[in-house]
Amino acid sequence: LSLAALVAIPSAPLMGELSDRLGWRTVVMAALAGDVLLLVLFPFVPPGPLLVLALVCLGVANRSLSVSVALVTRASEPSTRGIALGFVNTAGIISMTVLSVVGGYVADVAGLASTFFMIAVVALAGCIALLTTRLGRLDLRW
């Protein structure tokens, strides 16, 4: 997990560059879709070089959050950007806390592999929400 987090730090500018070139929707959707696939396959990856590669890919895919936070603050009026950023960060912390508790419960009841599947379902729900909400129709460039 530390490796995935360390990879996520330098991949944030990469995601920003890709979103400038390809559009934020494409980058966020590709990252979320990659996240879903990697999370479903992760429990079956054998130890060794493939596991390291899977963790690196998870670190890159999880940077879609940075693009989403930038997008939400950019979509807000300049006078309310601080409020929007605070709201997004607060919602993120609350949802991560709830998911951590639920994930621990799921792991205890159904096994650790099912936790990754549960997180993949949440990422898939994020894809669907992005496609069906007003936020998914914004055309932003910065």
Side-chain angles (χ1 to χ4, degrees):
L1 291 177
S2 297
L3 178 63
L6 287 172
V7 169
I9 294 168
S11 67
L14 169 71
M15 289 299 222
E17 180 67 24
L18 285 174
S19 70
D20 286 345
R21 292 180 185 275
L22 303 173
W24 69 268
R25 275 185 228 105
T26 304
V27 172
V28 171
M29 291 302 293
L32 286 171
D35 208 18
V36 169
L37 181 63
L38 287 165
L39 286 165
V40 168
L41 296 176
F42 187 73
F44 307 106
V45 176
L50 281 177
L51 182 60
V52 173
L53 180 63
L55 288 171
V56 167
C57 291
L58 272 172
V60 173
N62 284 322
R63 280 302 89 207
S64 61
L65 177 62
S66 298
V67 176
S68 301
V69 169
L71 171 70
V72 167
T73 55
R74 190 74 173 164
S76 304
E77 294 295 323
S79 62
T80 60
R81 283 188 181 157
I83 295 168
L85 181 60
F87 177 73
V88 169
N89 285 334
T90 301
I93 289 169
I94 291 170
S95 63
M96 296 265 298
T97 302
V98 169
L99 279 174
S100 293
V101 173
V102 171
Y105 180 75
V106 168
D108 288 345
V109 171
L112 186 58
S114 60
T115 304
F116 291 98
F117 183 75
M118 180 200 74
I119 298 168
V121 168
V122 171
L124 183 61
C127 288
I128 293 167
L130 189 61
L131 285 173
T132 59
T133 62
R134 180 178 167 269
L135 188 60
R137 291 186 293 277
L138 291 175
D139 188 25
L140 298 173
R141 292 259 177 216
W142 60 87

